[in-house]
Amino acid sequence: MIKANGEYLDFDGPIEVEKQIKLFEDLSTTDGDYSYQFEAPLTSHNIKSLGNPFPDNILKETYQKIPAEIISNDGLKIHEGYLRIEGITDVIKLAFFAGNNNWFGILSGPLSDIDFSDLDIDQTLSNITVQMAAVSGVVFPLVDNGALITRGYRHVRVEDYVAGIYVHTVFKRIFAKHSIKIQGELLTDPLFNKLVTIRNGKSQDQIDAASSYAEQSTLIARPVENDEYTVVFQNDSTFPFYDGSLNAFSLVTNSWTAPYRTRIRVEASFIPSIVDSSYNQRIYIYINGIYTFVDIGLDAGGLYNSATPGDQDTFTLDRTFTVEEGDILTFKTQWQQSVGSTQNNVVSGWVKITPIFIYKAFGNSIVPNWTQQEYVSNVFKIFNVLPSFEPATQTLTVNLFEKIKSKEPIDLSQYISNVEVNYVDFINNFAKRNLLSYQEVTFDDPRQYNIQNFFKYAQGNIEATNEHLEDSEDLIESDFSNPQSYINPVF
């Protein structure tokens, strides 16, 4: 039986569905199973169920991909895919396509739709050490992120390790999200289970979320010399001022709270009122209510500025240090006057806090910024996977093409007839030299400092000695990028 657009067609006949496996192609362009052309009677019910196609419009895409199911006489769904109308005469000529689109279309949406937050982990020495033995989830390989190539001493820091995630962890979660069971040789392949990917660059999303830039625009009266006055801020949302999505800065408490252990850069600048005598200005940073001694400028603990009578001099602070999760930063100013007793006020100013390094790995920030389909398709390209889907049980079998040669041969002689086969379609995507490559990434520092020990990551090609083929063809290109590989003489 055939069901199209939710309606059973008037149909009673056999449909021969053939399995088709195509390697080296994006799964989104590979249908998989297909049928030879078959005929359905030209009845009003069939015409309506197929979307009312007519000879002048059957080429429209609407009639080329009609959602359909093939159902056994017992009511069991055997195949799920789509029908294509190939002609209308006194009958309706149809073909059925299924296979990959049964399950591949289900994997819609970005990887960020899948929750990896349970893999969030603090980047500490103890966690890095423990995760070295992990066989799933997050690990911390030692990766040169720009600092090791020029380092002259043989010591590594916590910051030198980069969070990576096992490919099989991401792969399995994609299918689990859509309740598709997976089985097959890929899941037991040693390389598949050891492969780890890292995401290039820092987690900019997390950095932006914790960043803050607040404005102090109302005059702060400071009548008492040498007293420290809390800076009151009025704006953290009007351009160019901002507070990241974590709302780390509070205008209510005039403070910034660290969402996690992070190394931050703190910049601050304030303008005092015009004075008629010499004075000193300082900015103080308090962490959790405790004065923090920061060596800035000419005075330990703050910035020392002097001005002659009549000046309006900006005093600034720029400092980098590490804070722990939950630490609260507040800002205070102080003034001293060497001559006279004129009151000194702050007219305006701002403070900017930017995380430089976050000592925490976030599961959702480690995975590539891809769709789920892109991830699965790229993994299949690497391993030459032969997918086979069983819609009745929602089970996808992922076997490896290379292991076909080691399997028990199947006797197909009874199915073979003496027919002429046209191989043009088979070879039209191939050439004499078929290239297999990845997204090319260059690393300037290793080449500049260590060119004699720099190794090019392996690309490949398949040679075909057939003079009827073109000279060269891009057979497959992975969206994964090449890692850098070189000998570091210091380490």
Side-chain angles (χ1 to χ4, degrees):
M1 295 181 287
I2 304 175
K3 181 185 277 188
N5 286 322
E7 296 285 339
Y8 285 97
L9 297 185
D10 297 328
F11 177 82
D12 183 14
I15 300 177
E16 182 180 350
V17 178
E18 301 240 346
K19 276 231 176 274
Q20 176 180 246
I21 299 297
K22 298 177 76 175
L23 299 177
F24 308 130
E25 293 197 23
D26 192 312
L27 285 172
S28 62
T29 64
T30 306
D31 292 313
D33 306 338
Y34 68 97
S35 77
Y36 293 104
Q37 188 182 99
F38 60 92
E39 297 176 351
L42 185 63
T43 65
S44 59
H45 175 72
N46 283 352
I47 289 293
K48 179 181 178 182
S49 299
L50 293 172
N52 297 307
F54 291 95
D56 62 339
N57 60 12
I58 62 170
L59 294 180
K60 288 184 178 180
E61 187 175 351
T62 306
Y63 311 121
Q64 295 298 298
K65 213 164 188 177
I66 303 168
E69 301 172 359
I70 295 180
I71 300 173
S72 71
N73 292 330
D74 300 325
L76 178 66
K77 182 167 64 175
I78 304 173
H79 295 283
E80 181 178 1
Y82 63 90
L83 290 170
R84 185 171 71 196
I85 299 175
E86 299 190 336
I88 299 178
T89 56
D90 55 339
V91 294
I92 305 173
K93 298 177 182 179
L94 300 166
F96 178 80
F97 297 86
N100 290 332
N101 68 292
N102 277 352
W103 59 271
F104 195 68
I106 299 175
L107 309 184
S108 60
L111 273 176
S112 57
D113 285 350
I114 300 175
D115 186 12
F116 293 95
S117 61
D118 60 300
L119 300 178
D120 294 356
I121 182 173
D122 292 330
Q123 187 163 335
T124 63
L125 179 59
S126 60
N127 283 344
I128 291 172
T129 305
V130 169
Q131 292 303 113
M132 285 182 177
V135 294
S136 64
V138 175
V139 289
F140 291 93
L142 178 62
V143 176
D144 184 1
N145 53 17
L148 297 182
I149 189 66
T150 57
R151 187 170 299 171
Y153 54 91
R154 196 177 303 170
H155 296 288
V156 293
R157 299 189 289 258
V158 168
E159 295 90 337
D160 297 326
Y161 292 84
V162 178
I165 190 167
Y166 274 98
V167 168
H168 72 81
T169 296
V170 180
F171 186 86
K172 292 172 183 175
R173 289 204 178 191
I174 291 174
F175 289 97
K177 175 178 174 61
H178 302 284
S179 301
I180 297 176
K181 297 184 284 292
I182 51 175
Q183 62 183 20
E185 296 161 349
L186 177 65
L187 303 183
T188 58
D189 183 79
L191 180 59
F192 174 72
N193 286 301
K194 291 179 180 177
L195 198 61
V196 172
T197 61
I198 62 173
R199 182 172 174 179
N200 291 345
K202 300 176 182 177
S203 174
Q204 192 60 45
D205 292 343
Q206 299 298 331
I207 289 175
D208 292 342
S211 298
S212 298
Y213 184 21
E215 178 188 27
Q216 181 269 313
S217 56
T218 302
L219 183 142
I220 302 174
R222 303 183 300 173
V224 180
E225 185 179 3
N226 291 322
D227 277 6
E228 296 172 6
Y229 293 86
T230 299
V231 179
V232 178
F233 297 91
Q234 290 82 29
N235 176 24
D236 66 354
S237 60
T238 305
F239 183 83
F241 304 99
Y242 58 83
D243 193 12
S245 60
L246 293 178
N247 298 316
F249 197 92
S250 171
L251 294 179
V252 177
T253 60
N254 297 292
S255 64
W256 181 87
T257 303
Y260 20 67
R261 187 172 192 265
T262 179
R263 188 160 182 79
I264 60 174
R265 180 183 181 186
V266 178
E267 303 166 83
S269 179
F270 298 98
I271 300 175
S273 59
I274 299 176
V275 296
D276 56 6
S277 59
S278 297
Y279 66 94
N280 303 327
Q281 297 279 3
R282 295 186 181 91
I283 305 173
Y284 295 102
I285 299 176
Y286 277 72
I287 300 179
N288 301 329
I290 301 174
Y291 170 69
T292 303
F293 290 89
V294 182
D295 296 329
I296 296 293
L298 304 176
D299 191 286
L303 181 73
Y304 178 95
N305 265 26
S306 295
T308 55
D311 284 345
Q312 186 173 3
D313 191 23
T314 302
F315 58 111
T316 60
L317 177 149
D318 191 338
R319 183 67 175 172
T320 300
F321 53 94
T322 299
V323 291
E324 302 297 328
E325 180 176 350
D327 280 353
I328 299 175
L329 271 63
T330 53
F331 301 88
K332 295 188 177 184
T333 67
Q334 180 196 60
W335 66 281
Q336 294 176 341
Q337 200 155 321
S338 57
V339 178
S341 58
T342 303
Q343 175 178 320
N344 197 321
N345 303 320
V346 172
V347 177
S348 63
W350 53 265
V351 62
K352 186 176 183 180
I353 303 171
T354 308
I356 297 174
F357 188 88
I358 297 172
Y359 293 88
K360 188 167 187 175
F362 299 89
N364 286 78
S365 296
I366 302 173
V367 297
N369 188 24
W370 293 353
T371 65
Q372 298 166 43
Q373 292 180 343
E374 285 175 321
Y375 194 91
V376 170
S377 185
N378 274 284
V379 171
F380 279 13
K381 286 180 184 179
I382 293 175
F383 292 94
N384 288 340
V385 173
L386 306 178
S388 178
F389 186 69
E390 175 51 61
T393 61
Q394 290 288 101
T395 301
L396 180 70
T397 300
V398 284
N399 286 332
L400 303 180
F401 177 74
E402 67 174 83
K403 294 192 176 182
I404 287 179
K405 60 189 177 184
S406 62
K407 289 187 169 72
E408 187 70 26
I410 302 173
D411 184 5
L412 300 176
S413 59
Q414 60 177 313
Y415 304 105
I416 297 176
S417 59
N418 187 18
V419 295
E420 182 178 339
V421 179
N422 187 339
Y423 289 101
V424 172
D425 184 60
F426 173 75
I427 66 173
N428 65 358
N429 291 327
F430 295 83
K432 296 175 185 176
R433 187 168 183 264
N434 302 279
L435 306 178
L436 301 95
S437 62
Y438 44 77
Q439 294 295 320
E440 182 69 44
V441 178
T442 59
F443 303 92
D444 294 334
D445 284 349
R447 294 181 185 276
Q448 178 181 353
Y449 293 99
N450 204 12
I451 187 63
Q452 70 275 15
N453 291 321
F454 184 84
F455 301 104
K456 184 172 177 60
Y457 194 69
Q459 300 190 61
N461 71 84
I462 297 174
E463 301 291 343
T465 55
N466 186 324
E467 292 304 318
H468 297 284
L469 298 176
E470 298 293 331
D471 289 334
S472 181
E473 185 71 37
D474 291 326
L475 187 63
I476 178 175
E477 183 173 5
S478 173
D479 292 324
F480 288 112
S481 302
N482 57 306
Q484 57 181 326
S485 180
Y486 70 95
I487 293 177
N488 188 310
V490 175
F491 292 97

